[in-house]
Each structure stands twice: as C-alpha cells, then as structure tokens.
Amino acid sequence: SLVDVSASDIEQYRRALNQAQLSLALLIGSTPEYCILPSSLPHTALPVDVPAGIPSQLLTHRPDLMQAQYELQAAAAKVGIARSERFPSVALTISGGVADGNARELFQQGGWAWSATAGFAQPLFSFGRLRRNEQIARQQYKQAALDYEQTALEALEDVESALTAVATLREEALQWQNYVERNARIAQLQQALYRAGQSNYLDVISTQQTWYSSQLQQVQIIEQQYQALADLVLALGDGWQE
C-alpha cells in the first residue's frame, strides 16, 4: 500500500513538472521543447549567494516606484503651469513705447481680469480662481511626494523581507539536510537489524516511511528557497549580476 502511494506521488510530480514547462513556454512565447526543466534539483541549500552591498539604485527599476516618480514629476509640472497661468501674457506698451492703458485695467476692482474684447488673448478668469488652482496643484504635489515616499518604504520592506527569507531558508535547508541523512541512516540500521533477526519488518517500514516523508519536506523547503530568491529579484526590480 505504501509503495503504491509513493508510485502515485511520482506521477503527481511528473504532471506538475510538465505543467510548469508549458507555463514557462507560454510566458516567454516559445515552444515547450525550449523550456525543459531539470529532472532533479540539489538536495542542499541553493548554490546562489546574495552578494553584499547591493546598491539601492536597483529599486528605481521597480515599476511601482517608477510610476510614483513619474506622477511626482507630473504634479510638479502642474504646479509650474498653474503658477504661470496666474500672470497674464499681455502687451504693456503700444507703438512708440507709450504705456497701454489696458494694462492698468488688470488691477482694477481688486482682481486680475481680462477679456478678448479688451484686446487680450486670454479667456476671462478671476484672480481668486487662478490662485485656488495653484493651491490645488501644490496640494496634489505634496500628496504625490507622500505617495512616492510610501512606495519607497514599501519597496525597502519587500527587499528586507525577501533577504530575511533567503537567509533563514538557507539555514533551514542545511539543518533539514542533516535530518534527512540521519533518517536514511536509521532506515539502514533498521534494515540491518531486520536481516539479523533482531527486528520485525513493521519497524523497517516505519523508518523508511519517516525517511520518505522527510525527503518530501526537504523538497518543499528547496522550493521555498527558489521562491524567496525570485521574490528578492522582484523586490529589487532587477537582478544584482550587473
């Protein structure tokens, strides 16, 4: 019965491997034969070492941080536009250098107002409305700056979390490797005791089952290591090979 269960596990993982190959081929727009995955993985910690001194400039490659930066730049540009709109573009002199009387009308009745009928190209706007538009643009810039800071903090948190996962899973994988090796040794000794007539076969099956279960758990830890490494690359926005 236990042998049959283990045999069914083989088909389960073979199916998962094939589905992973198909998904990878679809992701890169290729055919499955170019995405053949290894049939086995090392039963130890990942051979990839995360180097020290990874520059924080890698975070600028993150799409969310790039978007926040562009939104901040756009908000800053809107402040400049709103500010420039408060000052009208008019001719202050006429031919001969004489002051244009229409310019003085801008300051009459406590507001800046001009119209096309008065010889100005700008549409009719009040000074108060332009001032409020500038205030709104400045507040939007402040909000964009806060959003950018929040996005940067979230990026740093993602990197720290991924680095912690990579480091702890590496140690966990090393410790679990020792556990698997000890279970293998116990299973061998129990088999020797059985052959010497000093143990029954149920004890042999029990130790082999424990060994098999520990190997399955080890594979899951290795999978978590690769996932943590992928999360680190995503958190950085790019790899560190450069």
Side-chain angles (χ1 to χ4, degrees), residues 122-180:
Q122 268 69 341
L124 184 61
F125 284 110
S126 65
F127 177 77
R129 180 179 178 182
L130 294 174
R131 180 177 58 187
R132 286 192 295 271
N133 287 343
E134 182 182 357
Q135 292 173 348
I136 292 174
R138 291 185 180 276
Q139 292 300 321
Q140 290 176 344
Y141 172 79
K142 292 180 180 179
Q143 182 62 48
L146 293 175
D147 292 341
Y148 180 81
E149 293 177 1
Q150 181 65 28
T151 304
L153 290 175
E154 292 176 356
L156 292 173
E157 181 182 359
D158 292 342
V159 172
E160 184 66 24
S161 177
L163 286 174
T164 301
V166 170
T168 56
L169 284 170
R170 177 181 291 274
E171 294 300 323
E172 183 178 356
L174 292 174
Q175 296 298 327
W176 201 268
Q177 174 66 19
N178 296 333
Y179 176 65
V180 172

Side-chain angles (χ1 to χ4, degrees), residues 191-206:
Q191 182 75 19
L193 290 174
Y194 169 74
R195 291 176 178 175
Q198 300 180 10
S199 176
N200 58 61
Y201 196 67
L202 290 179
D203 293 334
V204 174
I205 294 177
S206 178

Side-chain angles (χ1 to χ4, degrees), residues 65-108:
L65 202 59
M66 294 175 62
Q67 179 181 355
Q69 181 181 4
Y70 291 148
E71 290 177 351
L72 179 61
Q73 294 174 353
K78 290 180 181 179
V79 172
I81 294 174
R83 181 62 178 174
S84 63
E85 287 179 348
R86 292 187 59 184
F87 194 84
S89 176
V90 298
L92 300 179
T93 62
I94 58 177
S95 61
V98 181
D100 188 355
N102 290 332
R104 292 191 295 271
E105 296 178 1
L106 294 175
F107 303 94
Q108 294 177 359

